[in-house]
């Protein structure tokens, strides 16, 4: 049996806008984590911010954990670490696969986050990807517009739009330090991208993406129908956003770093098949093939 | 007679913070253009925004003038045009020396702008530099932090801090499209920069500046004492800012261009001498040596 490709992309076709076939909120949408109004807001905009969900002291502990990770020479030498795209830069851009032990293992299980994912995706969930984004001060580069799902579908074989990201702000997100920007409502369209995925594409794309990028025309259409919104908020805020929401962020020349840790929850009913438009699977530290459900918190 | 160098920079010394020797508001500060409260705010913050000083129809006419300029093949082939720094880009970043004829000649004389300059600088004024900045959508790159005066002093021989810029917004400036960012109060310090100015530095610096750039440490100090502020506002707004205000802007990945036209008014008592720290003068289209005062409007 082959899985039908509802979202053809990078198959040499023209860039075009397709409709979304999947619901945004799966199941009844009922649960203990979010109110009906919050669920509705997520359904409509494609994201939901919960300000200061974690306390400052919890965030301090996360920062200490990151300091430990980023001084671990073995980790720094590994493929889990992505460096900023400027050729002469040694600044860390991202560290992947941080949820398998220690404090971030506890964090993905924390019901303040995981129960939101379960409620919106209407099932048990597992972690598809985790990373720390360390947009450095002064010279942090932009993340160009993209739908995560477009990549996860093409390169990882994620069949349906039944996943979301939870991004925990470890620094204040202000308008000037390159905060997450979204186009609310854009998650209801699917922008099929041109080109074809080259082999080992992730080695380049995680620094600076050029394939799987929507066209200027499509972005203009999406923004004209809606707006571009900066998501700002205090330390410890969590932004949940749909896997197909068009998002990106500008660079950061300010002295203030913009750090977050984020987790992709995927439904256990939406586990990966073979990539829909790539010559090979991406490695496990970028696209996990351990589909074990995040356990419910004890007690 | 040699002019004493009150602001030594790029002389091989260490980066350091010096005090400002010049007033911010010259003369009595009285005049017909600004209220005493506005003058005080400019003195304190180093900038002043006048929202919607020009009407939408005036701005439309400016846009048409720019469309004319940017389709003038002779101009496009000239040194007055700066291209975005990405190697494969053909997008226009800036066009210099736009005030000598046509609509922008009238604009620099317009008393809504020129009288503000006269009032704050306490004298007649002339145009030191003019340019259109066309931060393009999607791929507009950042302008790193700098004090204009540091460059004008080192490379153009401007003796004292008795100049200001007037930036007219031709598009809405919003938080997401890379608006002007300032550190209020930073104009009261002078950050002397390291390095030495290479020959023909402007050919590179106007695309991406690397000499005459304050250190991360100095920027952090300035921002810690104050804050980083995004200057947003509607079409037709004018921002006046002191020649020594630390400013910059992030890149722009949004579909919305950020365009402005700006003029540097210098006091006729502060005309250029030889560069304080550069092997040669910059060309006239970047640093005018026609010191003729902007005439008062007729009638």
């Amino acid at each position: 049996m082959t899985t039908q490709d509802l979202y053809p992309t990078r198959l040499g076709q023209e860039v075009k806008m397709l409709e979304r076939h999947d619901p945004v909120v799966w199941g009844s949408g009922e649960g203990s984590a979010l109110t009906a109004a919050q669920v509705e807001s997520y359904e409509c905009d494609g994201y939901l911010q919960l300000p200061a969900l974690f306390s400052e002291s919890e965030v301090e502990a996360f920062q200490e954990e990151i300091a430990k990770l980023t001084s671990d020479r073995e980790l720094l030498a590994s493929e889990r670490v992505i460096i900023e795209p400027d050729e002469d830069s040694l600044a860390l851009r991202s560290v992947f696969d941080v949820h398998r032990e220690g404090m971030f293992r506890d964090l993905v299980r924390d019901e303040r986050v995981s129960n939101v994912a379960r409620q919106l995706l209407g099932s048990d969930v597992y972690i598809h990807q985790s990373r720390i984004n360390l947009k450095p001060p002064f010279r942090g580069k932009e993340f160009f517009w993209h739908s995560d799902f477009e990549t996860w579908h093409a390169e990882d074989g994620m069949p349906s739009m039944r996943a979301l990201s939870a991004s925990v702000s470890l620094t204040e997100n202000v308008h000037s330090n390159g905060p997450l920007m979204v186009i609310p409502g854009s998650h209801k369209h699917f922008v099929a991208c041109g080109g074809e995925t080259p082999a080992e594409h992730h080695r380049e794309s995680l620094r600076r993406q050029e394939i799987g990028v929507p066209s200027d025309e499509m972005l203009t259409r999406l923004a004209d129908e809606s707006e571009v919104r900066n998501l700002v908020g205090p330390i410890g805020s969590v932004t949940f956003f749909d896997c197909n929401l068009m998002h990106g962020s500008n660079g950061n020349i300010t002295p203030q770093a913009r750090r977050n840790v984020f987790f992709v929850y995927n439904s256990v009913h939406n586990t990966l098949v073979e990539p829909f438009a790539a010559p090979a699977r991406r490695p496990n530290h970028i696209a996990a093939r351990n589909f074990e459900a995040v356990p419910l918190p004890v007690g």
Side-chain angles (χ1 to χ4, degrees), chain A:
Chain A
M1 189 191 98
T2 53
T3 307
Q4 195 200 342
D5 186 356
L6 294 173
Y7 302 106
T9 185
R10 306 191 202 177
L11 298 173
Q13 82 280 45
E14 271 184 75
V15 176
K16 60 185 167 186
M17 204 176 286
L18 307 173
E19 285 320 288
R20 179 183 181 125
H21 300 286
D22 298 306
V24 177
V25 176
W26 289 71
S28 69
E30 284 165 20
S32 59
L34 299 177
T35 65
Q38 287 175 317
V39 171
E40 195 185 323
S41 168
Y42 177 88
E43 203 284 333
C44 173
D45 290 335
Y47 74 92
L48 182 71
Q49 288 182 286
L50 299 183
L53 195 61
F54 291 92
S55 70
E56 292 203 13
S57 67
E58 286 177 299
V59 171
E60 257 172 53
F62 299 151
Q63 293 280 25
E64 283 164 24
E65 182 87 352
I66 290 176
K68 250 194 286 176
L69 287 170
T70 56
S71 59
D72 175 339
R73 281 160 180 274
E74 199 178 321
L75 173 58
L76 288 178
S78 78
E79 297 212 317
R80 290 166 56 197
V81 169
I82 309 292
I83 306 294
E84 282 284 308
D86 270 4
E87 272 148 48
D88 51 353
S89 177
L90 290 172
L92 297 187
R93 184 171 172 86
S94 307
V95 180
F96 276 81
D97 199 21
V98 295
H99 68 284
R100 287 188 298 147
E101 52 187 28
M103 202 170 282
F104 296 132
R105 179 169 166 275
D106 297 339
L107 176 54
V108 301
R109 296 172 179 213
D110 191 304
E111 58 192 337
R112 287 171 287 180
V113 187
S114 62
N115 277 350
V116 172
R118 289 185 191 97
Q119 184 171 350
L120 292 171
L121 302 179
S123 71
D124 269 341
V125 292
Y126 75 94
I127 299 296
H128 170 62
Q129 185 185 89
S130 66
R131 64 159 93 175
I132 304 160
N133 279 337
L134 299 148
K135 184 169 284 193
F138 301 114
R139 277 163 286 278
K141 292 301 170 213
E142 70 278 5
F143 284 85
F144 197 70
W145 295 104
H146 62 285
S147 147
D148 291 326
F149 178 77
E150 195 278 339
T151 290
W152 300 339
H153 184 68
E155 300 192 31
D156 299 336
M158 185 182 285
S160 300
M161 296 179 182
R162 195 173 180 176
L164 59 78
S165 293
S167 172
V168 183
S169 299
L170 304 183
T171 51
E172 194 185 0
N173 277 240
V174 294
H175 284 295
S176 57
N177 69 345
L180 184 65
M181 296 197 300
V182 302
I183 303 178
S186 58
H187 62 304
K188 297 197 173 173
H189 306 277
F190 178 69
V191 179
C193 296
E196 289 185 16
T197 312
E200 300 285 305
H201 181 233
H202 64 277
R203 292 182 190 275
E204 184 56 28
S205 67
L206 299 176
R207 300 179 78 200
R208 182 151 40 196
Q209 186 162 359
E210 286 171 7
I211 302 288
V213 170
S215 64
D216 294 359
E217 187 204 336
M218 292 297 150
L219 289 169
T220 304
R221 261 176 69 184
L222 290 173
D224 282 352
E225 277 180 22
S226 171
E227 61 172 322
V228 169
R229 203 176 281 170
N230 273 1
L231 302 190
V232 297
I235 286 179
S237 300
V238 182
T239 302
F240 296 90
F241 59 100
D242 179 80
C243 59
N244 187 46
L245 185 69
M246 198 60 79
H247 66 289
S249 65
N250 279 321
N252 178 21
I253 66 164
T254 76
Q256 207 177 338
R258 185 186 66 101
R259 278 190 175 190
N260 56 59
V261 53
F262 87 76
F263 306 107
V264 180
Y265 292 98
N266 190 19
S267 166
V268 294
H269 304 304
N270 192 37
T271 55
L272 308 187
V273 296
E274 290 310 308
F276 287 89
R281 296 175 175 187
R282 296 197 297 176
N284 267 293
H285 68 273
I286 299 174
R289 289 192 180 252
N290 170 359
F291 306 134
E292 202 181 327
V294 173
L296 292 168
V298 181

